[in-house]
Amino acid sequence: MQQQEESGEDIVIVGAGLAGLAVALGLYRKGVRSVVLESSPALRASGFAFATWPNAFRALDALGVGDKIRKLHVQAEALRVASSSTGTVARELDFSGKQGGAPFEFRCVRRDVLLQVLEAELPRGTIRYSSKIVSIDQQHDDSKIVHLADGSTLRAKALIGCDGINSVVSRWLGLAKPSYSGRSATRGLAHYPDGHSVQSKFLQFFGHGFRFGYVPCNANDVYWFYTWSPSPDDDGVDKSGAKMKQYVLTKLRSSKVPPEALELVQSSEISEDAPAAPLRFRSPFSLMFAKISKGNVCVAGDALHPMTPDLGQGGCAALEDGVVLARCLGEAILGGGDSAGGVAEKKRIESGLRKYAGIRRWRSIDLVGTAYVVGFLQQSSNTIVSFLRQKFLSGMLARRLVKMSNYDLGSMQQDESAAEAEHIVVVGAGPAGLAVSLGLHRKGVRSLVLESSPALRASGYAITTWRNAFRALDALGVGDKIRKLHLHVQGLRVFSSSTGEIAHELDFTAQENGGPHETCRVRRDLLLRAMEEELPPGTIRYSSKIVSIDEDGDAKTLHLADGSVLRAKVLIGCDGVNSVVAKWLGLAKPSYSGRLATRGLAHYPDGHGFQSEFLQFIGQGFRFGFVPCDETDIYWFYTWRPSQNGQIASTHTHLFLNAYSM
């Protein structure tokens, strides 16, 4: 009787692959809970690795894990396509050059690493392992009853199938079975514990009815693939892992591939689960009229668009699906105030899934159709096709690949015809912006920080933190982190710059108002990093520069430089002296004080030997001071009032250089 009882879930995602975890994490970033059902007892990383192009990294950045993946994988320098019969390079694409204003980003990412990173960002218990779906029923209230192999059932308000090429959910929707492309593939991963010497390039060889390629993932792992059109003679080939490796080596030895290619195949591991897999795809024509969504059910990833790997976009497209679906569904669920289970909520869920289906249908058709054509052209043994491929088609295919992989998530946002909604938007990831966001986070309130730069900026090198600053840092929960990284300043001495005599002296160790002064010269980069680490992943969006602000009822519409739009219920400007938000509020421009300043940081790798005190020199139209941050770094500043005739400029320059030499 207990097994027949239905446990209720709002959103059930089937499959803990790339698409499934991307959907779950995207919804979680929106504040929407889901449960992921995975038939295996643990994460499965079939295929070893996959190519991640710019579109995939835009999706990973939207999910808040892009930088984690970048740190674990090397950037490829170029794509080189060569003929397997002659060894002649037909096309080379430089990834270090800029495409659309930014370097072309390509990395070969290990699937197990990516899945583990996505899983680590989800709340504990989101993924339920050993949960295989056997059937789906529809109830009178349009909810779906999911029957599992262990006899248990789940009731779902929304059901999302990310369960791969043999998807139970796509079969329930009535999608046509994937077709056999006429080609097969095997893949391998060569691991070198002491490091490999393979160049960080994506090398491909085509012709003779096969396509072979390899690319490093990191300093120790090199991924390779081999796809071919089986002949009748291949029917009797033993396709176990060891035999498959020998089959590939035999084919490669009769072609013009470098010796390192043979060596890495020889020393690699081939999956015993599926050493030789027939490549299947869903026809673009069937996708044109297929039910990608029906009511509160939809599909994503390979359950929607299985495709041959000739374009290298299967995994990338799955990540795209996850981000777009999470946005459409998350905004639909959060877009109304009706009670749970209300009719309006059901309609919003269905509308969100229809919106997702409308966006992804044509993208999927484009990807699948292009992948099939690319595979045919690259592997064909036809003499005419081979000639055209060598002379003309390789360049065209490379350009097409670049265009396909430059699909922008910003464009997706515009296609969705709705500005992304955020409750609290903080502009500027400086000390004030991160302090606001972290303080809200400590209270359980989510915020989004927009930073115009591509990374944290630590202008000015360091700041003096007095007792009030440490009280604020303690309230934010990072005070002790900062204390451990910096020296406590013992005192302040102020000298006359003309006589060298001490004008004032203050002992910071003396008891005053209930305790000693607490003063440190804190490096800005360390302070910003300490606060960033305490914030949930994805809180800060870099390269997000606001260009204008519009009224939208009680909300504010923010227009960003990249063309995207955000709606904010609360807008907080921490964007510095040239604040866009302050200008929108009508605050007067800051006035020039009549003085200028320069700052510097002197680094002594073996230690500086200075006492931990704050020394200042004043007079003669300038103020100069320096103070240690820690055992190796000393911060200094120099402020002055520029003269009208410039006569003392040389004096100031001399003093500045003397100060720098200290």
Side-chain angles (χ1 to χ4, degrees), residues 265-292:
V265 172
Q266 181 64 56
S267 61
S268 65
E269 172 191 358
I270 292 183
S271 173
E272 291 293 340
D273 295 335
L279 298 176
R280 291 180 285 168
F281 73 108
R282 186 166 279 124
S283 163
F285 299 105
S286 68
L287 284 175
M288 193 173 297
F289 305 103
K291 288 187 181 295
I292 296 174

PDB file of all heavy atoms in Angstrom, residues 265-292:
ATOM      1  N   VAL A 265      45.752   6.511 -29.159  1.00  0.00           N
ATOM      2  CA  VAL A 265      44.702   5.495 -29.276  1.00  0.00           C
ATOM      3  C   VAL A 265      45.157   4.196 -28.614  1.00  0.00           C
ATOM      4  O   VAL A 265      44.402   3.540 -27.891  1.00  0.00           O
ATOM      5  CB  VAL A 265      44.336   5.253 -30.755  1.00  0.00           C
ATOM      6  CG1 VAL A 265      43.380   4.056 -30.880  1.00  0.00           C
ATOM      7  CG2 VAL A 265      43.696   6.491 -31.355  1.00  0.00           C
ATOM      8  N   GLN A 266      46.423   3.828 -28.840  1.00  0.00           N
ATOM      9  CA  GLN A 266      46.962   2.592 -28.271  1.00  0.00           C
ATOM     10  C   GLN A 266      46.928   2.619 -26.744  1.00  0.00           C
ATOM     11  O   GLN A 266      46.647   1.607 -26.097  1.00  0.00           O
ATOM     12  CB  GLN A 266      48.405   2.399 -28.751  1.00  0.00           C
ATOM     13  CG  GLN A 266      49.077   1.127 -28.246  1.00  0.00           C
ATOM     14  CD  GLN A 266      48.401  -0.130 -28.769  1.00  0.00           C
ATOM     15  OE1 GLN A 266      48.270  -0.315 -29.970  1.00  0.00           O
ATOM     16  NE2 GLN A 266      47.951  -0.990 -27.874  1.00  0.00           N
ATOM     17  N   SER A 267      47.187   3.777 -26.148  1.00  0.00           N
ATOM     18  CA  SER A 267      47.289   3.865 -24.687  1.00  0.00           C
ATOM     19  C   SER A 267      46.002   4.315 -24.024  1.00  0.00           C
ATOM     20  O   SER A 267      45.999   4.642 -22.836  1.00  0.00           O
ATOM     21  CB  SER A 267      48.406   4.849 -24.306  1.00  0.00           C
ATOM     22  OG  SER A 267      48.111   6.152 -24.804  1.00  0.00           O
ATOM     23  N   SER A 268      44.893   4.329 -24.763  1.00  0.00           N
ATOM     24  CA  SER A 268      43.662   4.899 -24.218  1.00  0.00           C
ATOM     25  C   SER A 268      42.703   3.838 -23.714  1.00  0.00           C
ATOM     26  O   SER A 268      42.869   2.635 -23.933  1.00  0.00           O
ATOM     27  CB  SER A 268      42.964   5.733 -25.292  1.00  0.00           C
ATOM     28  OG  SER A 268      42.552   4.907 -26.354  1.00  0.00           O
ATOM     29  N   GLU A 269      41.688   4.334 -23.064  1.00  0.00           N
ATOM     30  CA  GLU A 269      40.597   3.506 -22.545  1.00  0.00           C
ATOM     31  C   GLU A 269      39.383   3.688 -23.453  1.00  0.00           C
ATOM     32  O   GLU A 269      39.052   4.808 -23.843  1.00  0.00           O
ATOM     33  CB  GLU A 269      40.248   3.948 -21.118  1.00  0.00           C
ATOM     34  CG  GLU A 269      39.011   3.309 -20.541  1.00  0.00           C
ATOM     35  CD  GLU A 269      38.564   3.966 -19.240  1.00  0.00           C
ATOM     36  OE1 GLU A 269      39.253   4.892 -18.785  1.00  0.00           O
ATOM     37  OE2 GLU A 269      37.519   3.551 -18.706  1.00  0.00           O
ATOM     38  N   ILE A 270      38.742   2.588 -23.808  1.00  0.00           N
ATOM     39  CA  ILE A 270      37.504   2.637 -24.594  1.00  0.00           C
ATOM     40  C   ILE A 270      36.388   2.065 -23.733  1.00  0.00           C
ATOM     41  O   ILE A 270      36.554   1.050 -23.058  1.00  0.00           O
ATOM     42  CB  ILE A 270      37.631   1.833 -25.906  1.00  0.00           C
ATOM     43  CG1 ILE A 270      38.628   2.519 -26.846  1.00  0.00           C
ATOM     44  CG2 ILE A 270      36.285   1.706 -26.600  1.00  0.00           C
ATOM     45  CD1 ILE A 270      38.772   1.835 -28.186  1.00  0.00           C
ATOM     46  N   SER A 271      35.260   2.738 -23.758  1.00  0.00           N
ATOM     47  CA  SER A 271      34.136   2.305 -22.938  1.00  0.00           C
ATOM     48  C   SER A 271      33.705   0.883 -23.302  1.00  0.00           C
ATOM     49  O   SER A 271      33.481   0.568 -24.477  1.00  0.00           O
ATOM     50  CB  SER A 271      32.951   3.256 -23.117  1.00  0.00           C
ATOM     51  OG  SER A 271      31.809   2.764 -22.457  1.00  0.00           O
ATOM     52  N   GLU A 272      33.590   0.026 -22.312  1.00  0.00           N
ATOM     53  CA  GLU A 272      33.120  -1.345 -22.545  1.00  0.00           C
ATOM     54  C   GLU A 272      31.603  -1.399 -22.677  1.00  0.00           C
ATOM     55  O   GLU A 272      31.045  -2.357 -23.180  1.00  0.00           O
ATOM     56  CB  GLU A 272      33.577  -2.256 -21.395  1.00  0.00           C
ATOM     57  CG  GLU A 272      35.083  -2.509 -21.366  1.00  0.00           C
ATOM     58  CD  GLU A 272      35.574  -3.328 -22.555  1.00  0.00           C
ATOM     59  OE1 GLU A 272      34.752  -4.010 -23.198  1.00  0.00           O
ATOM     60  OE2 GLU A 272      36.788  -3.280 -22.845  1.00  0.00           O
ATOM     61  N   ASP A 273      30.916  -0.317 -22.194  1.00  0.00           N
ATOM     62  CA  ASP A 273      29.453  -0.299 -22.280  1.00  0.00           C
ATOM     63  C   ASP A 273      28.982  -0.169 -23.726  1.00  0.00           C
ATOM     64  O   ASP A 273      28.048  -0.847 -24.151  1.00  0.00           O
ATOM     65  CB  ASP A 273      28.894   0.868 -21.451  1.00  0.00           C
ATOM     66  CG  ASP A 273      29.170   0.679 -19.973  1.00  0.00           C
ATOM     67  OD1 ASP A 273      29.339  -0.478 -19.552  1.00  0.00           O
ATOM     68  OD2 ASP A 273      29.229   1.682 -19.249  1.00  0.00           O
ATOM     69  N   ALA A 274      29.619   0.736 -24.476  1.00  0.00           N
ATOM     70  CA  ALA A 274      29.223   0.951 -25.872  1.00  0.00           C
ATOM     71  C   ALA A 274      30.460   1.298 -26.680  1.00  0.00           C
ATOM     72  O   ALA A 274      30.673   2.454 -27.054  1.00  0.00           O
ATOM     73  CB  ALA A 274      28.191   2.074 -25.966  1.00  0.00           C
ATOM     74  N   PRO A 275      31.326   0.305 -26.953  1.00  0.00           N
ATOM     75  CA  PRO A 275      32.566   0.601 -27.672  1.00  0.00           C
ATOM     76  C   PRO A 275      32.332   1.079 -29.095  1.00  0.00           C
ATOM     77  O   PRO A 275      33.100   1.867 -29.622  1.00  0.00           O
ATOM     78  CB  PRO A 275      33.305  -0.742 -27.646  1.00  0.00           C
ATOM     79  CG  PRO A 275      32.246  -1.770 -27.448  1.00  0.00           C
ATOM     80  CD  PRO A 275      31.214  -1.124 -26.597  1.00  0.00           C
ATOM     81  N   ALA A 276      31.280   0.594 -29.739  1.00  0.00           N
ATOM     82  CA  ALA A 276      30.942   1.025 -31.094  1.00  0.00           C
ATOM     83  C   ALA A 276      29.449   1.306 -31.142  1.00  0.00           C
ATOM     84  O   ALA A 276      28.634   0.384 -31.069  1.00  0.00           O
ATOM     85  CB  ALA A 276      31.321  -0.048 -32.110  1.00  0.00           C
ATOM     86  N   ALA A 277      29.092   2.587 -31.241  1.00  0.00           N
ATOM     87  CA  ALA A 277      27.682   2.965 -31.168  1.00  0.00           C
ATOM     88  C   ALA A 277      27.177   3.425 -32.529  1.00  0.00           C
ATOM     89  O   ALA A 277      27.817   4.268 -33.185  1.00  0.00           O
ATOM     90  CB  ALA A 277      27.505   4.088 -30.153  1.00  0.00           C
ATOM     91  N   PRO A 278      26.051   2.888 -32.992  1.00  0.00           N
ATOM     92  CA  PRO A 278      25.449   3.406 -34.221  1.00  0.00           C
ATOM     93  C   PRO A 278      24.935   4.823 -33.967  1.00  0.00           C
ATOM     94  O   PRO A 278      24.294   5.087 -32.943  1.00  0.00           O
ATOM     95  CB  PRO A 278      24.301   2.430 -34.498  1.00  0.00           C
ATOM     96  CG  PRO A 278      23.987   1.823 -33.170  1.00  0.00           C
ATOM     97  CD  PRO A 278      25.264   1.790 -32.399  1.00  0.00           C
ATOM     98  N   LEU A 279      25.232   5.723 -34.877  1.00  0.00           N
ATOM     99  CA  LEU A 279      24.836   7.118 -34.701  1.00  0.00           C
ATOM    100  C   LEU A 279      23.430   7.323 -35.246  1.00  0.00           C
ATOM    101  O   LEU A 279      23.160   7.058 -36.421  1.00  0.00           O
ATOM    102  CB  LEU A 279      25.821   8.033 -35.431  1.00  0.00           C
ATOM    103  CG  LEU A 279      27.272   7.966 -34.928  1.00  0.00           C
ATOM    104  CD1 LEU A 279      28.169   8.844 -35.778  1.00  0.00           C
ATOM    105  CD2 LEU A 279      27.353   8.356 -33.459  1.00  0.00           C
ATOM    106  N   ARG A 280      22.572   7.795 -34.379  1.00  0.00           N
ATOM    107  CA  ARG A 280      21.177   8.010 -34.758  1.00  0.00           C
ATOM    108  C   ARG A 280      20.818   9.483 -34.639  1.00  0.00           C
ATOM    109  O   ARG A 280      21.435  10.224 -33.875  1.00  0.00           O
ATOM    110  CB  ARG A 280      20.253   7.158 -33.884  1.00  0.00           C
ATOM    111  CG  ARG A 280      20.369   5.663 -34.171  1.00  0.00           C
ATOM    112  CD  ARG A 280      19.438   4.866 -33.289  1.00  0.00           C
ATOM    113  NE  ARG A 280      19.937   4.765 -31.914  1.00  0.00           N
ATOM    114  CZ  ARG A 280      19.205   4.315 -30.897  1.00  0.00           C
ATOM    115  NH1 ARG A 280      17.945   3.933 -31.096  1.00  0.00           N
ATOM    116  NH2 ARG A 280      19.711   4.234 -29.694  1.00  0.00           N
ATOM    117  N   PHE A 281      19.818   9.893 -35.380  1.00  0.00           N
ATOM    118  CA  PHE A 281      19.382  11.288 -35.344  1.00  0.00           C
ATOM    119  C   PHE A 281      17.886  11.341 -35.608  1.00  0.00           C
ATOM    120  O   PHE A 281      17.298  10.388 -36.121  1.00  0.00           O
ATOM    121  CB  PHE A 281      20.146  12.122 -36.375  1.00  0.00           C
ATOM    122  CG  PHE A 281      19.740  11.860 -37.803  1.00  0.00           C
ATOM    123  CD1 PHE A 281      19.018  12.798 -38.518  1.00  0.00           C
ATOM    124  CD2 PHE A 281      20.091  10.667 -38.434  1.00  0.00           C
ATOM    125  CE1 PHE A 281      18.654  12.557 -39.833  1.00  0.00           C
ATOM    126  CE2 PHE A 281      19.726  10.414 -39.739  1.00  0.00           C
ATOM    127  CZ  PHE A 281      18.999  11.365 -40.447  1.00  0.00           C
ATOM    128  N   ARG A 282      17.281  12.438 -35.205  1.00  0.00           N
ATOM    129  CA  ARG A 282      15.865  12.650 -35.490  1.00  0.00           C
ATOM    130  C   ARG A 282      15.773  13.597 -36.676  1.00  0.00           C
ATOM    131  O   ARG A 282      16.322  14.697 -36.630  1.00  0.00           O
ATOM    132  CB  ARG A 282      15.154  13.201 -34.260  1.00  0.00           C
ATOM    133  CG  ARG A 282      13.656  13.309 -34.419  1.00  0.00           C
ATOM    134  CD  ARG A 282      12.950  13.532 -33.089  1.00  0.00           C
ATOM    135  NE  ARG A 282      12.785  12.278 -32.355  1.00  0.00           N
ATOM    136  CZ  ARG A 282      13.215  12.064 -31.116  1.00  0.00           C
ATOM    137  NH1 ARG A 282      13.862  13.005 -30.481  1.00  0.00           N
ATOM    138  NH2 ARG A 282      13.016  10.903 -30.528  1.00  0.00           N
ATOM    139  N   SER A 283      15.114  13.190 -37.712  1.00  0.00           N
ATOM    140  CA  SER A 283      15.050  13.945 -38.958  1.00  0.00           C
ATOM    141  C   SER A 283      14.565  15.380 -38.715  1.00  0.00           C
ATOM    142  O   SER A 283      13.617  15.607 -37.956  1.00  0.00           O
ATOM    143  CB  SER A 283      14.091  13.252 -39.932  1.00  0.00           C
ATOM    144  OG  SER A 283      13.703  14.133 -40.961  1.00  0.00           O
ATOM    145  N   PRO A 284      15.219  16.367 -39.356  1.00  0.00           N
ATOM    146  CA  PRO A 284      14.740  17.752 -39.243  1.00  0.00           C
ATOM    147  C   PRO A 284      13.291  17.904 -39.668  1.00  0.00           C
ATOM    148  O   PRO A 284      12.563  18.730 -39.112  1.00  0.00           O
ATOM    149  CB  PRO A 284      15.681  18.522 -40.181  1.00  0.00           C
ATOM    150  CG  PRO A 284      16.909  17.690 -40.267  1.00  0.00           C
ATOM    151  CD  PRO A 284      16.441  16.269 -40.166  1.00  0.00           C
ATOM    152  N   PHE A 285      12.865  17.109 -40.635  1.00  0.00           N
ATOM    153  CA  PHE A 285      11.475  17.205 -41.097  1.00  0.00           C
ATOM    154  C   PHE A 285      10.503  16.728 -40.020  1.00  0.00           C
ATOM    155  O   PHE A 285       9.419  17.286 -39.846  1.00  0.00           O
ATOM    156  CB  PHE A 285      11.295  16.394 -42.384  1.00  0.00           C
ATOM    157  CG  PHE A 285      12.159  16.883 -43.507  1.00  0.00           C
ATOM    158  CD1 PHE A 285      13.292  16.177 -43.880  1.00  0.00           C
ATOM    159  CD2 PHE A 285      11.851  18.058 -44.175  1.00  0.00           C
ATOM    160  CE1 PHE A 285      14.097  16.623 -44.908  1.00  0.00           C
ATOM    161  CE2 PHE A 285      12.657  18.521 -45.207  1.00  0.00           C
ATOM    162  CZ  PHE A 285      13.791  17.809 -45.573  1.00  0.00           C
ATOM    163  N   SER A 286      10.903  15.675 -39.268  1.00  0.00           N
ATOM    164  CA  SER A 286      10.025  15.208 -38.198  1.00  0.00           C
ATOM    165  C   SER A 286       9.981  16.217 -37.049  1.00  0.00           C
ATOM    166  O   SER A 286       8.944  16.388 -36.401  1.00  0.00           O
ATOM    167  CB  SER A 286      10.497  13.841 -37.684  1.00  0.00           C
ATOM    168  OG  SER A 286      11.738  13.941 -37.007  1.00  0.00           O
ATOM    169  N   LEU A 287      11.109  16.905 -36.813  1.00  0.00           N
ATOM    170  CA  LEU A 287      11.126  17.918 -35.753  1.00  0.00           C
ATOM    171  C   LEU A 287      10.258  19.123 -36.102  1.00  0.00           C
ATOM    172  O   LEU A 287       9.756  19.813 -35.221  1.00  0.00           O
ATOM    173  CB  LEU A 287      12.560  18.383 -35.504  1.00  0.00           C
ATOM    174  CG  LEU A 287      13.474  17.439 -34.719  1.00  0.00           C
ATOM    175  CD1 LEU A 287      14.886  17.990 -34.666  1.00  0.00           C
ATOM    176  CD2 LEU A 287      12.943  17.244 -33.302  1.00  0.00           C
ATOM    177  N   MET A 288      10.089  19.355 -37.395  1.00  0.00           N
ATOM    178  CA  MET A 288       9.321  20.524 -37.818  1.00  0.00           C
ATOM    179  C   MET A 288       7.878  20.465 -37.314  1.00  0.00           C
ATOM    180  O   MET A 288       7.273  21.492 -36.971  1.00  0.00           O
ATOM    181  CB  MET A 288       9.348  20.616 -39.348  1.00  0.00           C
ATOM    182  CG  MET A 288       8.856  21.936 -39.905  1.00  0.00           C
ATOM    183  SD  MET A 288       9.104  22.017 -41.697  1.00  0.00           S
ATOM    184  CE  MET A 288      10.891  21.929 -41.803  1.00  0.00           C
ATOM    185  N   PHE A 289       7.323  19.265 -37.233  1.00  0.00           N
ATOM    186  CA  PHE A 289       5.920  19.122 -36.826  1.00  0.00           C
ATOM    187  C   PHE A 289       5.765  18.331 -35.521  1.00  0.00           C
ATOM    188  O   PHE A 289       4.652  18.020 -35.119  1.00  0.00           O
ATOM    189  CB  PHE A 289       5.131  18.430 -37.947  1.00  0.00           C
ATOM    190  CG  PHE A 289       5.231  19.119 -39.272  1.00  0.00           C
ATOM    191  CD1 PHE A 289       6.051  18.610 -40.278  1.00  0.00           C
ATOM    192  CD2 PHE A 289       4.541  20.296 -39.513  1.00  0.00           C
ATOM    193  CE1 PHE A 289       6.164  19.243 -41.503  1.00  0.00           C
ATOM    194  CE2 PHE A 289       4.650  20.946 -40.738  1.00  0.00           C
ATOM    195  CZ  PHE A 289       5.469  20.420 -41.737  1.00  0.00           C
ATOM    196  N   ALA A 290       6.878  18.014 -34.872  1.00  0.00           N
ATOM    197  CA  ALA A 290       6.815  17.189 -33.661  1.00  0.00           C
ATOM    198  C   ALA A 290       6.255  17.976 -32.481  1.00  0.00           C
ATOM    199  O   ALA A 290       6.363  19.201 -32.414  1.00  0.00           O
ATOM    200  CB  ALA A 290       8.215  16.674 -33.318  1.00  0.00           C
ATOM    201  N   LYS A 291       5.671  17.251 -31.544  1.00  0.00           N
ATOM    202  CA  LYS A 291       5.179  17.851 -30.297  1.00  0.00           C
ATOM    203  C   LYS A 291       6.338  17.888 -29.293  1.00  0.00           C
ATOM    204  O   LYS A 291       6.545  16.944 -28.539  1.00  0.00           O
ATOM    205  CB  LYS A 291       4.006  17.047 -29.741  1.00  0.00           C
ATOM    206  CG  LYS A 291       2.720  17.192 -30.533  1.00  0.00           C
ATOM    207  CD  LYS A 291       1.584  16.490 -29.814  1.00  0.00           C
ATOM    208  CE  LYS A 291       0.283  16.618 -30.610  1.00  0.00           C
ATOM    209  NZ  LYS A 291      -0.163  18.011 -30.705  1.00  0.00           N
ATOM    210  N   ILE A 292       7.087  18.982 -29.301  1.00  0.00           N
ATOM    211  CA  ILE A 292       8.180  19.138 -28.344  1.00  0.00           C
ATOM    212  C   ILE A 292       7.622  19.318 -26.941  1.00  0.00           C
ATOM    213  O   ILE A 292       8.221  18.897 -25.945  1.00  0.00           O
ATOM    214  CB  ILE A 292       9.066  20.331 -28.748  1.00  0.00           C
ATOM    215  CG1 ILE A 292       9.723  20.051 -30.097  1.00  0.00           C
ATOM    216  CG2 ILE A 292      10.128  20.617 -27.690  1.00  0.00           C
ATOM    217  CD1 ILE A 292      10.494  21.226 -30.647  1.00  0.00           C
TER     218      ILE A 292
END
